[in-house]
Amino acid sequence: MTVAAVIDGKEFANRLRARIAGAVPAFVKAAGRKPGLAVVLVGDDPASAVYVGSKGKATVAAGMASFEYRLPADASQDAVESLLQRLNNDGAVDGILLQLPLPTHLDEQSAVGMIDADKDVDGLTPVSTGRLALGIAGLVPCTPLGSLMLLQDQLGDLSGKEAVVIGRSILVGKPMAQLLLGANSTVTLAHSRTRDLAAVVRRADIVVAAVGRPEMVKGDWLKPGAVVIDVGINRLAPAGSEAKGRLVGDVDYHDALPYAQAITPVPGGVGPMTIACLLRNTLVAAHRRAGLSDPEGI
Ligand code: NDP
């Protein structure tokens, strides 16, 4: 029995981060300033605060400038949008990331839509989404971009591959499908209304699971030799306990091992690629804003 290779996203992300850090000094020399990433956090959600903190640290570790803005949980729509407008006009800021979700009284879509698409390192504005659909150079959401990099590293050319993406969110599923289409795969985008999901998944050479349901995809759903990217991050809480349970993906990892050719683990697969791609997008945005060509090999 063959067992799937483990796709080490942590190792890949570390190498990508090292290449990014290696490319920063040339930018500083050419542009006379560091690439800059501004992260905006509204409210005091502890998980969001942790994410913002680790993004800031990673930015500084790559040799870039990190700007952090915190607004109170009761901040008005106007306050959020005028801060974003100020950052749009700030020459030292190449990337703007509005940490989501926003407190419920705020209109998320309107706020995200304020961000200058050329600084939209999360790739979530309507302009970025449109550019991706049109195949125009733009900034692409980090998690699907990182997933595509892992797939290309594993398989090389993705032309003609049957790809099934499970989940159609704006953040992951839809941009993932667009990226695979752009790489000339034949793409099926599955969701909660898909009939006989197991049969759909069984057609795929490439499976990307972005659902948010612990261990939903079973081994015998997979075509033997499929490459599996598990985007899901789910915490299994032990029944009746307050203790934090272990993290699992949307794919039943151990069940999938005898079927897949290669698979990302959770944690240590797609997760580390997300921050690495945020740094990559910031560096790319900085180059384009400075009128330089995109950095090579990043
Ligand atoms: P959403 O909740 O926005 O979307 C989930 C998608 O899954 C929806 O399109 C939904 O379909 C679909 N879905 C739900 N149930 C089923 C089902 N039974 N069968 C088929 N499809 C189903 O989630 P996200 O895209 O934001 O995130 C998905 C997962 O990825 C989560 O676990 C999240 O934590 C993780 N994630 C990980 C990241 C990382 O850095 N590794 C970054 C972002 C997310 P429908 O549209 O019909 O409702």
Side-chain angles (χ1 to χ4, degrees):
M1 188 178 77
T2 55
V3 175
V6 177
I7 300 174
D8 189 343
K10 198 169 171 191
E11 158 72 16
F12 191 99
N14 284 341
R15 279 188 276 127
L16 176 56
R17 283 169 67 161
R19 289 201 301 280
I20 292 165
V24 167
F27 175 83
V28 173
K29 198 165 168 215
R33 62 178 183 83
K34 291 180 178 183
L37 173 64
V39 181
V40 177
L41 174 63
V42 187
D44 38 29
D45 175 60
S48 293
V50 170
Y51 291 141
V52 166
S54 48
K55 284 167 187 168
K57 273 192 204 132
T59 307
V60 172
M64 304 189 196
S66 166
F67 311 103
E68 211 175 291
Y69 294 86
R70 291 179 183 241
L71 294 179
D74 61 357
S76 66
Q77 187 78 25
D78 215 34
V80 176
E81 295 191 1
S82 45
L83 172 58
L84 294 171
Q85 194 56 58
R86 185 147 67 79
L87 297 174
N88 283 344
N89 296 330
D90 185 337
V93 171
D94 297 293
I96 303 172
L97 186 147
L98 177 62
Q99 184 66 42
L100 303 177
L102 294 180
T104 48
H105 68 282
L106 294 171
D107 180 342
E108 211 163 87
Q109 234 177 36
S110 163
V112 169
M114 286 291 301
I115 298 170
D116 177 350
D118 294 337
K119 297 189 177 189
D120 177 23
V121 285
D122 240 356
L124 295 177
T125 62
V127 173
S128 297
T129 307
R131 285 177 176 167
L132 178 58
L134 290 166
I136 297 173
L139 296 164
V140 174
C142 301
T143 303
L145 179 61
S147 301
L148 183 78
M149 286 180 183
L150 294 178
L151 280 169
Q152 286 174 327
D153 186 54
Q154 189 64 38
L155 288 169
D157 184 12
L158 305 183
S159 261
K161 302 278 186 205
E162 288 280 346
V164 170
V165 179
I166 319 172
R168 56 175 163 179
S169 71
I170 295 295
L171 187 62
V172 190
K174 279 184 186 162
M176 186 76 241
Q178 292 282 3
L179 286 171
L180 286 164
L181 203 55
N184 297 316
S185 293
T186 303
V187 183
T188 302
L189 189 46
H191 46 76
S192 67
R193 310 291 176 89
T194 298
R195 272 182 286 155
D196 198 353
L197 183 60
V200 172
V201 171
R202 217 168 276 128
R203 296 202 300 256
D205 306 307
I206 294 168
V207 179
V208 180
V211 186
R213 291 187 171 243
E215 301 179 325
M216 183 185 82
V217 176
K218 302 297 175 194
D220 64 1
W221 291 24
L222 300 172
K223 173 164 141 182
V227 174
V228 180
I229 301 291
D230 190 354
V231 179
I233 302 178
N234 310 288
R235 199 171 282 283
L236 282 187
S241 151
E242 291 292 299
K244 274 190 171 180
R246 67 190 173 94
L247 286 182
V248 297
D250 291 338
V251 179
D252 189 333
Y253 181 78
H254 292 287
D255 205 37
L257 284 176
Y259 294 87
Q261 176 197 131
I263 183 168
T264 55
V266 177
V270 173
M273 292 300 292
T274 300
I275 284 195
C277 286
L278 176 65
L279 301 176
R280 180 258 173 213
N281 278 355
T282 304
L283 186 66
V284 167
H287 278 73
R288 291 178 187 166
R289 292 189 58 252
L292 302 167
S293 47
D294 284 3
E296 273 176 38
I298 283 167

